Amino acid sequence: MRGLVAARFSSYLCRRKPANVRSRQCSSSSYERDFQFLIYTCFSGFPDERAMEEEAERKIGWLFKLIFAGTATVVGYSIFPYLGDNLIQQSVSLLGVKDPLFKRMGASRLTRFATDDERRMKIVEMGGAQKLVEMLGAAKDDPTRKEALNAIVAIARSDEAAGALHSAGAISVIIDTPTSEDAEIEKYKAKLLKRFRDVKEI
């Protein structure tokens, strides 16, 4: 009788063991998940806090960028007039160099500077108009003539500057410029002659 009871009890324990193992496994797995979440929140912070920190950092970054841009703009407006005058003077000086490459560089820079009447007259006052006419008259190649004519076209958009170019002898120099196969050179010449006629009529 005792043997029968012992056998049944042993059989009962054997049947219960897998359930206990599964329960322990589930319990262990649950503990592991809780522990991992705790570690994650300790080092990473809660999702809402992390998002708030990122948003704050982004706004602070934009604030610094705006401050820097504003400061750079103010400084630029304060310094550029003096810097621009120096660059114009340097460009005019390049027109007097013997090397045609430097002459072309100077003329090209003056073309870019001559964006309004004030700057065009600044170029005239610094002797740029006279030197461009001399550069055109002394040019031995089409690239140099082209840059000189292009710069003269840019400066001549101002009536007063066009008058200064006329006084510097631009018309006679343009007429004496050899005919070129470069269509742009011929276009510049025709445009300038028309411009000087219009200014003269005014």
Side-chain angles (χ1 to χ4, degrees):
M1 184 68 178
R2 290 180 181 176
L4 180 60
V5 172
R8 289 181 178 178
F9 183 71
S10 176
S11 176
Y12 173 77
L13 289 177
C14 289
R15 288 197 302 271
R16 295 282 296 175
K17 187 174 182 180
N20 291 337
V21 170
R22 285 195 299 271
S23 177
R24 288 173 184 172
Q25 288 176 346
C26 292
S27 177
S28 176
S29 176
S30 176
Y31 289 149
E32 288 177 1
R33 285 197 300 271
D34 292 342
F35 181 72
Q36 289 173 356
F37 178 76
L38 179 62
I39 294 298
Y40 175 79
T41 53
C42 286
F43 286 96
S44 303
F46 289 99
D48 291 342
E49 292 178 358
R50 188 178 183 85
M52 290 173 64
E53 289 176 0
E54 291 177 353
E55 182 68 19
E57 290 176 358
R58 186 162 53 250
K59 289 181 178 179
I60 291 172
W62 275 108
L63 178 62
F64 278 118
K65 288 179 181 178
L66 289 172
I67 292 172
F68 176 78
T71 304
T73 302
V74 172
V75 172
Y77 274 112
S78 301
I79 294 177
F80 183 75
Y82 305 102
L83 183 62
D85 288 354
N86 289 334
L87 291 175
I88 291 173
Q89 185 62 63
Q90 290 173 7
S91 302
V92 171
S93 298
L94 286 174
L95 301 179
V97 179
K98 291 183 178 181
D99 191 333
L101 176 62
F102 288 101
K103 288 180 180 289
R104 291 195 293 270
M105 288 173 58
S108 176
R109 287 166 63 175
L110 290 178
T111 302
R112 292 195 297 271
F113 283 127
T115 55
D116 55 57
D117 287 353
E118 183 180 354
R119 291 187 183 182
R120 292 180 188 115
M121 287 309 301
K122 181 71 69 174
I123 293 170
V124 171
E125 291 168 5
M126 291 184 178
Q130 182 67 49
K131 288 194 174 183
L132 281 169
V133 172
E134 293 173 358
M135 172 183 168
L136 178 61
K140 303 297 183 183
D141 56 83
D142 279 352
T144 304
R145 295 187 187 102
K146 185 175 180 178
E147 287 295 346
L149 286 166
N150 192 23
I152 293 172
V153 167
I155 296 171
R157 291 192 178 100
S158 165
D159 291 344
E160 193 173 355
L165 286 164
H166 183 277
S167 300
I171 293 178
S172 59
V173 172
I174 292 169
I175 292 173
D176 291 341
T177 300
T179 303
S180 173
E181 295 180 357
D182 190 327
E184 281 193 285
I185 290 178
E186 296 304 313
K187 182 182 74 174
Y188 290 150
K189 288 165 62 177
K191 188 174 184 178
L192 283 169
L193 291 174
K194 181 180 183 303
R195 173 63 176 150
F196 289 129
R197 282 197 302 269
D198 293 342
V199 171
K200 190 175 180 180
E201 291 175 1
I202 296 173

